[in-house]
Amino acid sequence: MNTLNKLFLDGLAEIYDAESRLVWSMPQMATAATCPLLREAILSHLQETKAHVTRLETLFQSLGERARRKTSEATIALVNESHEIMSRFRGFPVVNAALIAAVQKIEHYEIASYGCLRDWAVVLRNKEAAAILQEILDENKTTNQSLTELARSRSNQQALSEHACVSEPTTAVFCQTAACA
Ligand SMILES: [Fe+2]
Protein backbone atom coordinates (compact mmCIF):
# COMPACT_ATOMS: atom_id res chain seq x y z
CA MET A 1 0.00 0.00 0.00
CA ASN A 2 1.43 3.40 -0.96
CA THR A 3 1.66 6.21 1.56
CA LEU A 4 -1.06 8.30 -0.15
CA ASN A 5 -3.39 5.36 0.34
CA LYS A 6 -2.52 5.29 4.04
CA LEU A 7 -3.07 9.05 4.29
CA PHE A 8 -6.42 8.65 2.52
CA LEU A 9 -7.58 5.87 4.87
CA ASP A 10 -6.44 7.85 7.93
CA GLY A 11 -8.32 10.88 6.62
CA LEU A 12 -11.46 8.81 6.15
CA ALA A 13 -11.11 7.43 9.69
CA GLU A 14 -10.74 10.95 11.04
CA ILE A 15 -13.78 12.40 9.25
CA TYR A 16 -15.75 9.28 10.24
CA ASP A 17 -14.88 10.04 13.86
CA ALA A 18 -15.84 13.71 13.35
CA GLU A 19 -19.24 12.89 11.82
CA SER A 20 -19.96 10.31 14.54
CA ARG A 21 -19.23 12.87 17.28
CA LEU A 22 -21.43 15.45 15.56
CA VAL A 23 -24.41 13.08 15.53
CA TRP A 24 -24.24 13.32 19.34
CA SER A 25 -23.55 17.06 19.61
CA MET A 26 -25.97 18.53 17.10
CA PRO A 27 -29.18 17.77 19.07
CA GLN A 28 -27.78 19.84 21.97
CA MET A 29 -27.04 22.72 19.60
CA ALA A 30 -30.55 22.51 18.14
CA THR A 31 -32.03 22.66 21.65
CA ALA A 32 -29.95 25.73 22.50
CA ALA A 33 -31.14 27.61 19.39
CA THR A 34 -34.00 30.02 20.14
CA CYS A 35 -34.70 30.74 16.47
CA PRO A 36 -37.04 28.05 15.05
CA LEU A 37 -35.44 28.37 11.60
CA LEU A 38 -31.99 27.71 13.01
CA ARG A 39 -33.25 24.80 15.08
CA GLU A 40 -34.82 23.35 11.95
CA ALA A 41 -31.61 23.90 9.93
CA ILE A 42 -29.48 22.13 12.57
CA LEU A 43 -31.92 19.21 12.87
CA SER A 44 -32.09 18.85 9.11
CA HIS A 45 -28.28 18.77 8.89
CA LEU A 46 -28.28 16.22 11.72
CA GLN A 47 -30.23 13.87 9.42
CA GLU A 48 -27.66 14.49 6.65
CA THR A 49 -24.83 13.90 9.12
CA LYS A 50 -26.32 10.51 10.08
CA ALA A 51 -26.45 9.66 6.37
CA HIS A 52 -22.80 10.77 5.99
CA VAL A 53 -21.81 8.28 8.71
CA THR A 54 -23.60 5.49 6.82
CA ARG A 55 -22.08 6.50 3.47
CA LEU A 56 -18.59 6.52 4.98
CA GLU A 57 -19.20 3.01 6.35
CA THR A 58 -20.22 1.89 2.85
CA LEU A 59 -17.11 3.55 1.46
CA PHE A 60 -14.84 1.71 3.93
CA GLN A 61 -16.58 -1.51 2.91
CA SER A 62 -16.04 -0.86 -0.81
CA LEU A 63 -12.34 -0.32 -0.05
CA GLY A 64 -12.23 -3.70 1.69
CA GLU A 65 -11.63 -2.00 5.05
CA ARG A 66 -13.42 -2.14 8.37
CA ALA A 67 -14.89 1.26 9.32
CA ARG A 68 -12.52 2.65 11.94
CA ARG A 69 -12.33 5.91 13.87
CA LYS A 70 -9.23 8.02 14.28
CA THR A 71 -9.79 10.71 16.94
CA SER A 72 -10.48 14.08 15.34
CA GLU A 73 -8.87 16.47 17.83
CA ALA A 74 -10.14 19.41 15.75
CA THR A 75 -13.75 18.25 16.14
CA ILE A 76 -13.32 17.76 19.90
CA ALA A 77 -12.02 21.35 20.18
CA LEU A 78 -14.79 22.78 17.97
CA VAL A 79 -17.51 20.91 19.87
CA ASN A 80 -16.05 22.08 23.20
CA GLU A 81 -16.16 25.63 21.87
CA SER A 82 -19.83 25.21 20.94
CA HIS A 83 -20.60 23.99 24.49
CA GLU A 84 -18.83 27.00 25.92
CA ILE A 85 -20.85 29.49 23.84
CA MET A 86 -24.09 27.62 24.56
CA SER A 87 -23.62 27.98 28.30
CA ARG A 88 -22.39 31.58 27.97
CA PHE A 89 -25.28 32.86 25.83
CA ARG A 90 -28.08 30.35 26.51
CA GLY A 91 -31.51 31.98 26.43
CA PHE A 92 -30.38 35.25 24.80
CA PRO A 93 -31.10 36.11 21.15
CA VAL A 94 -27.35 36.35 20.50
CA VAL A 95 -27.11 32.59 21.04
CA ASN A 96 -28.33 32.03 17.46
CA ALA A 97 -25.55 34.11 15.88
CA ALA A 98 -23.06 32.37 18.18
CA LEU A 99 -24.38 28.90 17.28
CA ILE A 100 -24.27 29.67 13.56
CA ALA A 101 -20.60 30.66 13.94
CA ALA A 102 -19.88 27.45 15.87
CA VAL A 103 -21.62 25.22 13.32
CA GLN A 104 -19.97 27.04 10.40
CA LYS A 105 -16.52 26.45 11.92
CA ILE A 106 -17.37 22.75 12.02
CA GLU A 107 -18.68 22.80 8.44
CA HIS A 108 -15.52 24.55 7.21
CA TYR A 109 -13.41 21.86 8.86
CA GLU A 110 -15.54 19.22 7.13
CA ILE A 111 -15.40 21.03 3.77
CA ALA A 112 -11.58 21.18 3.94
CA SER A 113 -11.39 17.51 4.95
CA TYR A 114 -13.78 16.23 2.26
CA GLY A 115 -12.16 18.44 -0.39
CA CYS A 116 -8.73 16.90 0.27
CA LEU A 117 -10.15 13.36 0.50
CA ARG A 118 -12.00 13.81 -2.81
CA ASP A 119 -8.81 15.03 -4.51
CA TRP A 120 -6.77 12.13 -3.09
CA ALA A 121 -9.44 9.66 -4.31
CA VAL A 122 -9.07 11.16 -7.81
CA VAL A 123 -5.28 10.73 -7.73
CA LEU A 124 -5.73 7.18 -6.42
CA ARG A 125 -8.04 6.57 -9.44
CA ASN A 126 -10.99 5.64 -7.25
CA LYS A 127 -13.88 7.29 -9.09
CA GLU A 128 -16.56 5.75 -6.87
CA ALA A 129 -14.94 7.10 -3.69
CA ALA A 130 -14.39 10.51 -5.31
CA ALA A 131 -18.09 10.69 -6.27
CA ILE A 132 -19.30 9.80 -2.75
CA LEU A 133 -16.92 12.29 -1.15
CA GLN A 134 -18.01 14.99 -3.61
CA GLU A 135 -21.67 14.41 -2.68
CA ILE A 136 -20.98 14.75 1.04
CA LEU A 137 -18.79 17.80 0.37
CA ASP A 138 -21.63 19.45 -1.58
CA GLU A 139 -24.15 18.84 1.22
CA ASN A 140 -21.83 20.41 3.77
CA LYS A 141 -21.26 23.40 1.47
CA THR A 142 -25.02 23.84 1.06
CA THR A 143 -25.50 23.79 4.84
CA ASN A 144 -22.73 26.33 5.28
CA GLN A 145 -24.30 28.60 2.66
CA SER A 146 -27.79 28.42 4.17
CA LEU A 147 -26.35 29.26 7.60
CA THR A 148 -24.65 32.33 6.13
CA GLU A 149 -27.99 33.39 4.65
CA LEU A 150 -29.80 32.82 7.97
CA ALA A 151 -27.17 34.83 9.87
CA ARG A 152 -27.34 37.73 7.42
CA SER A 153 -31.11 37.80 7.07
CA ARG A 154 -32.05 37.28 10.76
CA SER A 155 -29.70 36.08 13.46
CA ASN A 156 -27.04 38.79 13.34
CA GLN A 157 -29.66 41.55 13.60
CA GLN A 158 -31.56 39.69 16.34
CA ALA A 159 -28.28 39.42 18.24
CA LEU A 160 -28.49 43.18 18.86
CA SER A 161 -31.43 42.58 21.20
CA GLU A 162 -30.46 42.23 24.85
CA HIS A 163 -33.81 40.80 25.98
CA ALA A 164 -33.48 37.46 27.65
CA CYS A 165 -35.62 34.61 26.40
CA VAL A 166 -37.65 32.45 28.74
CA SER A 167 -37.58 28.69 29.05
CA GLU A 168 -40.79 26.78 28.52
CA PRO A 169 -41.47 23.77 30.76
CA THR A 170 -40.45 21.60 27.79
CA THR A 171 -36.86 21.21 26.72
CA ALA A 172 -37.28 23.78 23.94
CA VAL A 173 -36.45 27.42 24.61
CA PHE A 174 -38.57 30.06 22.91
CA CYS A 175 -37.69 33.71 22.62
CA GLN A 176 -40.53 36.05 23.46
CA THR A 177 -39.05 39.21 22.01
CA ALA A 178 -40.39 40.59 18.74
CA ALA A 179 -36.93 40.18 17.22
CA CYS A 180 -37.24 36.39 17.30
CA ALA A 181 -40.84 36.22 16.09
FE1 LIG B 1 -21.66 18.78 8.25
Side-chain angles (χ1 to χ4, degrees), residues 32-35 38 85-86 89-100 159:
T34 61
C35 170
L38 177 58
I85 60 134
M86 280 191 276
F89 298 116
R90 186 175 289 275
F92 289 88
V94 73
V95 78
N96 299 308
L99 276 169
I100 288 176

Side-chain angles (χ1 to χ4, degrees), residues 19 22 26 45 48-49 52 106-107 110 114 136 139-140 143:
E19 298 279 25
L22 294 168
M26 289 174 73
H45 193 55
E48 284 182 343
T49 302
H52 296 166
I106 292 168
E107 294 311 311
E110 290 183 318
Y114 281 113
I136 305 179
E139 286 180 7
N140 282 313
T143 296

Side-chain angles (χ1 to χ4, degrees), residues 7-19 22 52 56 59 70-75 78 104-121 129-130 132-134 136-138 140-141:
L7 181 66
F8 178 65
L9 290 175
D10 276 359
L12 281 182
E14 198 168 69
I15 200 70
Y16 179 58
D17 180 74
E19 298 279 25
L22 294 168
H52 296 166
L56 288 171
L59 182 50
K70 178 174 183 289
T71 304
S72 168
E73 300 293 348
T75 304
L78 290 167
Q104 284 195 298
K105 285 181 191 179
I106 292 168
E107 294 311 311
H108 278 261
Y109 163 75
E110 290 183 318
I111 289 165
S113 302
Y114 281 113
C116 292
L117 286 165
R118 185 262 334 265
D119 287 350
W120 293 337
I132 293 172
L133 294 163
Q134 181 70 56
I136 305 179
L137 173 64
D138 290 343
N140 282 313
K141 279 186 177 174

